[in-house]
Amino acid sequence: MEKQFASLNLDTTDPLSHSPTETENSQTPLHSSSSHTEYDTHQCPIFTQEVDPLLIKTSLEDRIAYLTDFLNFTSRDAEIISKIAPSVHDVIPSLVDGMYAKLFEFDITKKVFMTRNQGFDGPLPQTLEELTLDSAQIVFRKVFMKAWARRVLTADYSTGKTWAYMDKVGIMHTGASPFKHQRTMGIAPLNVPYRDIALTLGWIQTVLHTAILQLPESTCPVSEKVEAVSAINKVLWIQNDLFSRHYIGD
C-alpha cells in the first residue's frame, strides 16, 4: 500500500510542478491562539457558524478553513511542529521500514507492490513469496514515503500549496490522477482501498506520537510534548479527510 504514498515521486524535488491553482497561491489564515482548548468547559457558543456543505465539497480553500477551524489547528500548532521536527526527524527511516513491515503482514496490502510503480524500471518479483522488504522496488519506494513524512514535519501550513499537495495525495489513490505529467505520459493511476489508507495513517500517527513522547525532557518539556502530539494528530486527521473526501464524496 505504500505504493500510494510512494508514487509521489515529484515530492523529492517539487511535487507540485505545474501551474499553481488559486488554492495553492492562497494563504490559509491560521488563528494565533494556543493549540489548547478548554475541553472541560461546556458553554453554549455565542454564535453558530454557517457552513455551506456544497461549497466545502468543491472549494478546497473553504474546506481547509472549515477543517482547521473545527480542529482548532492554529499558528501555534504549526509553530510547535516546526520546533520539534529536528528532534523527531531521525525517526523517519525506521517509521518507513516499520510501515512496510506492517503492510507485508497481510496479503491484501502486500499485493499492491506486485504492480510496477511509476518511475521504477527494475526487476519485479513473479510471486508474492518472492517479494521481500529488500526488493528493488520497495527500496525505491521508501525514498518517496520518507519525503511525505518529512513534509508533514516541515510544511508551511499557512500556505494553500501545502493543503493542495495533501489533497492531491488523496486524489491519486482513488483511480484518478491529479498530476498533469502522469496523464500526459499515460501512467495508470492508483486505486487503493480507503480502508487500508486510513489504517496506515493510524499506524503512522502512533509512531510519531511515540517518538514525540520519548523525547528527553531537556529537549522537549512535557507541556510542549502535549502540544506537539495534539498538533500532529490534527494534521494527520486533515490528511485523512483529504483522502476520504475523494472516496465518499462528502
Side-chain angles (χ1 to χ4, degrees):
M1 178 199 136
E2 208 292 296
K3 163 188 175 183
Q4 65 234 54
F5 288 103
S7 62
L8 289 170
N9 49 5
L10 287 183
D11 188 47
T12 56
T13 52
D14 181 7
L16 299 175
S17 57
H18 58 283
S19 299
T21 64
E22 181 179 351
T23 297
E24 291 165 347
N25 282 330
S26 69
Q27 295 293 311
T28 303
L30 300 178
H31 298 297
S32 59
S33 60
S34 167
S35 61
H36 290 293
T37 300
E38 296 298 331
Y39 297 109
D40 56 346
T41 61
H42 302 284
Q43 299 178 352
C44 183
I46 297 176
F47 68 94
T48 300
Q49 297 187 53
E50 294 184 359
V51 178
D52 186 336
L54 296 179
L55 185 60
I56 62 175
K57 284 185 179 182
T58 58
S59 169
L60 178 60
E61 187 172 358
D62 285 279
R63 190 179 190 91
I64 292 300
Y66 171 60
L67 295 175
T68 54
D69 202 14
F70 191 99
L71 291 173
N72 194 33
F73 184 79
T74 69
S75 58
R76 175 56 181 169
D77 290 301
E79 177 186 334
I80 197 67
I81 291 174
S82 178
K83 184 173 183 178
I84 61 95
S87 300
V88 180
H89 180 271
D90 289 344
V91 79
I92 290 177
S94 61
L95 179 154
V96 173
D97 289 342
M99 189 193 73
Y100 271 102
K102 172 58 65 175
L103 295 172
F104 269 47
E105 290 182 14
F106 309 95
D107 63 344
I108 58 174
T109 49
K110 185 178 180 182
K111 286 177 181 177
V112 172
F113 307 113
M114 295 297 293
T115 302
R116 183 174 298 280
N117 290 176
Q118 173 194 344
F120 178 73
D121 57 5
L124 288 176
Q126 298 300 309
T127 66
L128 196 62
E129 290 70 28
E130 293 176 359
L131 181 64
T132 71
L133 292 171
D134 296 322
S135 293
Q137 182 165 245
I138 300 301
V139 174
F140 175 79
R141 281 301 157 192
K142 287 183 179 182
V143 174
F144 306 107
M145 180 59 201
K146 290 174 183 177
W148 176 86
R150 291 190 187 100
R151 186 128 183 187
V152 168
L153 294 173
T154 62
D156 178 359
Y157 289 106
S158 67
T159 175
K161 186 175 181 179
T162 294
W163 304 116
Y165 164 75
M166 288 189 168
D167 192 55
K168 286 179 171 62
V169 173
I171 296 172
M172 67 181 300
H173 295 85
T174 64
S177 176
F179 294 107
K180 182 178 179 180
H181 80 283
Q182 292 180 335
R183 297 192 297 269
T184 301
M185 297 172 63
I187 297 171
L190 302 173
N191 197 338
V192 181
Y194 171 65
R195 170 201 63 218
D196 299 328
I197 288 171
L199 287 171
T200 300
L201 283 175
W203 189 92
I204 291 169
Q205 177 176 279
T206 298
V207 173
L208 289 177
H209 284 180
T210 301
I212 293 169
L213 294 173
Q214 290 180 340
L215 290 174
E217 184 73 11
S218 58
T219 300
C220 185
V222 172
S223 60
E224 290 189 352
K225 291 179 183 179
V226 172
E227 287 186 285
V229 165
S230 174
I232 288 292
N233 183 66
K234 294 173 186 178
V235 168
L236 292 180
W237 273 98
I238 291 173
Q239 174 69 91
N240 181 61
D241 176 79
L242 297 179
F243 273 114
S244 66
R245 70 184 293 241
H246 300 296
Y247 284 87
I248 62 178
D250 194 5

